[in-house]
Amino acid sequence: MAEKIDTKKVFFNPFSKNNPVIVQILGICSVLAVTAKLEPAIVMGMSVIAVLAFSNVIISCLRNTIPINIRIIVQLVVVAGLVVIVDQLLKAYAYDVSKQLSVFIGLIITNCILMGRLEAFAMGNRPWPSFLDGIGNGIGYAIILIITGFFRELFGSGTLLGYQIVPQSFYEAGYVNNGLMILPPMALIVVACIIWVQRARNKELQED
């Protein structure tokens, strides 16, 4: 008899206690690449949610028919097809953001979060739990991107989503944007701070 899956945990755990970025330490490269501004971070997060959710469902539906020795190839083909669809939709409806993301949308194909969830979850579970797992892990990934992009754009450029947030009077009084915040190494530092807060709040994640 198949083990009953707690769908609530499957969906909500990736938000915090089993977050793919700050707990499993996956998908760090894209966090460095697309979070200098908040808008591309949001779009990248939404793209990964869509690709991860639907690839999980497709692989789950096909799991009993995929030969074990070519399963990775099949997973890559499914993910690549979905990424092409997302890329074309962005070019059609959000061209400016698509240009900002450049090759990084295509690199969703190699995102280890996707391959990890397909191999660890979708290949062994039904479509509905697999869909929830994909949505949950995608949201968990997007949360970190958005938090990182929020702080990097705010302190690096004084804007959010392109709108001026820091008052002009601050600049007139001598305030200067922190140019370091828009450099890739600062993404690592922001993520490290998020990890520190996460582990301080969740004692079970702390190593002995």
Side-chain angles (χ1 to χ4, degrees):
M1 185 176 179
E3 182 182 352
K4 186 176 180 181
I5 296 174
D6 186 340
T7 53
K8 185 176 179 180
K9 285 186 177 180
V10 166
F11 181 73
F12 286 108
N13 272 7
F15 291 7
S16 178
K17 291 185 177 180
N18 196 30
N19 187 278
V21 179
I22 60 174
V23 176
Q24 300 177 46
I25 316 298
L26 302 174
I28 292 289
C29 294
S30 52
V31 176
L32 301 180
V34 304
T35 57
K37 299 287 185 182
L38 183 56
E39 185 178 21
I42 293 172
V43 173
M44 185 68 166
M46 292 174 63
S47 300
V48 170
I49 290 170
V51 172
L52 185 51
F54 287 106
S55 61
N56 259 18
V57 170
I58 293 170
I59 293 300
S60 177
C61 291
L62 298 175
R63 70 189 189 281
N64 294 324
T65 61
I66 301 174
I68 196 69
N69 57 327
I70 63 166
R71 69 188 188 284
I72 301 297
I73 298 173
V74 174
Q75 291 168 14
L76 285 171
V77 169
V78 169
V79 172
L82 291 170
V83 168
V84 168
I85 293 172
V86 168
D87 186 42
Q88 294 303 308
L89 287 172
L90 287 177
K91 287 179 178 176
Y93 298 105
Y95 185 68
D96 289 340
V97 179
S98 176
K99 286 199 300 182
Q100 290 181 55
L101 290 172
S102 183
V103 299
F104 296 107
I105 285 293
L107 289 176
I108 291 175
I109 297 169
T110 61
N111 192 317
C112 43
I113 296 173
L114 276 92
M115 299 310 296
R117 297 324 299 167
L118 293 175
E119 185 72 8
F121 198 91
M123 284 295 291
N125 291 281
R126 292 177 175 274
W128 177 242
S130 297
F131 178 74
L132 292 178
D133 179 79
I135 291 287
N137 278 276
I139 292 175
Y141 169 82
I143 288 171
I144 305 306
L145 256 68
I146 290 169
I147 292 173
T148 307
F150 175 89
F151 286 108
R152 291 184 70 196
E153 182 176 357
L154 179 61
F155 293 112
S157 304
T159 61
L160 286 175
L161 297 174
Y163 294 99
Q164 190 67 39
I165 299 299
V166 177
Q168 186 61 35
S169 59
F170 280 36
Y171 294 105
E172 293 171 356
Y175 178 82
V176 178
N177 291 328
N178 187 344
L180 288 175
M181 289 298 291
I182 61 176
L183 298 179
M186 287 306 299
L188 278 178
I189 293 174
V190 174
V191 171
C193 291
I194 297 171
I195 292 173
W196 173 66
V197 172
Q198 161 77 351
R199 300 209 172 190
R201 294 180 58 190
N202 296 276
K203 302 298 183 183
E204 66 272 18
L205 297 177
Q206 297 179 11
E207 298 180 2
D208 295 330

